[in-house]
Amino acid sequence: MSDRNAISDEAFRKEVRSFFETAYPEELRFLPRRLRWSECKPWYLTLARKGWIAPAWPKEYGGMALSPSKQIIMAEETERAGIGRMPDQGITQVGPTIMRYGTEAQKKQYLQPILDGEHVWCQGYSEPNSGSDLASLQTSAVREGDDYVINGSKIWTSMSMDASHMYILVRTDRDAPKKQEGISFMLLDMKTPGITLRPIRNIAGHEEFAQVFFDNVRTPVDALVGSLNKGWTIAKALLGFERLGIGSPRRPRYAFTRLEKVARSRGLMDDPAFADRFAQLRLDLADLSSLYGRYVDQVRRGETLGADVSILKIWSMELYQRISELLVEAADEKGALEGDVDFDDDFVDVLSPFYMSRPGTIYGGSNEIQRNIVAKDVLRLPAK
Ligand SMILES: Cc1cc2nc3c(=O)[nH]c(=O)nc-3n(C[C@H](O)[C@H](O)[C@H](O)COP(=O)(O)OP(=O)(O)OC[C@H]3O[C@@H](n4cnc5c(N)ncnc54)[C@H](O)[C@@H]3O)c2cc1C
């Protein structure tokens, strides 16, 4: 694969745009829900064959090693073409984690199948009583011979019904003096006997996550990543990658392009009060894009993301909500309609960005928790 960093940003954008316009299936553009794996697998494989499935991964592991500005171009063009989000936990989260903390054998076993679309990953962190206070998690793994035996339950596990694998946080030492200790990070094949899924329906009526139950589920000891009882450090690093992914300007920008269409169709740009709010959101979006670029750059240089990446998550998701709220308001009486709504023969799904942005201040660590992190670890404010 040739080095796309060597060509100009403009030439790269043209190449990506024309490929996305011709190669992505028309019927999957701008869907108001997350894509199921069966729907998007052909597109995943198309990108994989082109060598474009992992823009941020280093070349030695089969990635594109794209510069931050080119990664942003790719994200912008993905959104412009209405390409749906694929199950991407392998690419954006567990892949980089294995590169950093995994053994050579784990890298060999797990990285290529992610690129090839053979392994689809989900995240087993939250539990019914451990969300914000994740370190209190209770799902246990007890060593028996060459296996760990897992018992307990995870909840809100996104796209777990399509996943072949889960990365999971488990308690491996109940007597550790601090709750952050005694937690391990493991890899798990979802076909292992003893795993049961109960899908959960979201506000828009879609089943995009599930509660997952573990009843004497055995995973081999070499599925442990890093050291036993030291999973918290890995979990935190991985949450950094997640916050970067959530902080991408892709979703707010998608909502903003919808807002622009609706506003023009309804002649709202002539209203100074509206134009003022619109301009403010446009500036906030530009702000988010440059902040995002800074963090992408940091990851590409191989630096660990610090606690300050929480700011990106807060900004991105609150902006997404503000834009989607103005979108519903701008659509006036049409703002209550489900599905594609006609605005001068331009069809805009007004409600789905509103629905999709609601949980954004909860998942990936709620914004209240992110503010606590910024207060404590960035601003060094005194804790109560
Ligand atoms: C759409 C969606 C997808 C998700 N996908 C996944 C997934 O794939 N894998 C996974 O593991 N998890 C997933 N989650 C779970 C998510 O990470 C948790 O919902 C989140 O961490 C919050 O935990 P909780 O739901 O238990 O809320 P709680 O922890 O019960 O919090 C409830 C409220 O109290 C606030 N609060 C709690 N403690 C404090 C505090 N100390 N200071 C200030 N405020 C506080 C919270 O901010 C929140 O507003 C998903 C959630 C959603 C909504």
Side-chain angles (χ1 to χ4, degrees), residues 123 125-126 131-132 156-158 209 359 362-364 366 368-369 372:
Q123 179 189 61
Y125 275 19
S126 306
S132 300
W156 317 121
T157 322
S158 296
F209 42 35
I362 302 170
Y363 59 65
S366 74
E368 290 82 3
I369 296 297
N372 284 348

Side-chain angles (χ1 to χ4, degrees), residues 73-196:
I73 289 172
M74 212 145 165
E76 283 173 355
E77 292 305 316
T78 300
E79 166 259 311
R80 185 180 186 277
I83 295 174
R85 181 172 168 205
M86 295 186 286
D88 51 11
Q89 301 259 356
I91 299 289
T92 60
Q93 296 181 39
V94 79
T97 304
I98 290 172
M99 282 174 216
R100 197 180 157 101
Y101 297 98
T103 60
E104 282 313 309
Q106 285 169 337
K107 290 178 194 173
K108 236 186 151 109
Q109 183 178 350
Y110 292 109
L111 294 180
Q112 192 61 42
I114 294 175
L115 295 176
D116 294 341
E118 280 169 25
H119 291 182
V120 176
W121 287 85
C122 64
Q123 179 189 61
Y125 275 19
S126 306
E127 297 183 8
N129 293 311
S130 303
S132 300
D133 185 17
L134 184 60
S136 67
L137 62 91
Q138 292 300 322
T139 294
S140 66
V142 176
R143 182 151 183 180
E144 268 183 29
D146 289 339
D147 292 332
Y148 287 106
V149 180
I150 302 176
N151 280 290
S153 169
K154 297 286 172 183
I155 197 164
W156 317 121
T157 322
S158 296
M159 308 316 277
S160 43
M161 48 293 232
D162 287 344
S164 65
H165 289 73
M166 172 188 276
Y167 55 95
I168 182 169
L169 284 179
V170 282
R171 190 155 294 283
T172 38
D173 179 2
R174 288 207 180 276
D175 301 322
K178 278 175 69 187
K179 60 183 179 179
Q180 282 81 359
E181 293 161 8
I183 291 176
S184 299
F185 186 102
M186 291 182 186
L187 309 172
L188 186 62
D189 188 329
M190 293 291 277
K191 284 194 297 298
T192 317
I195 300 180
T196 320

Side-chain angles (χ1 to χ4, degrees), residues 23 47 59 68-69 87 116 140 172 184 244 252 292 299 316 332-333 338 348 351 355 362 377:
L47 281 181
K59 285 237 162 86
S69 64
D116 294 341
S140 66
T172 38
S184 299
L244 181 69
Y292 176 68
V299 168
S316 152
D332 206 14
E333 76 274 11
E338 293 263 4
V348 175
L351 267 183
Y355 281 152
I362 302 170
D377 299 337

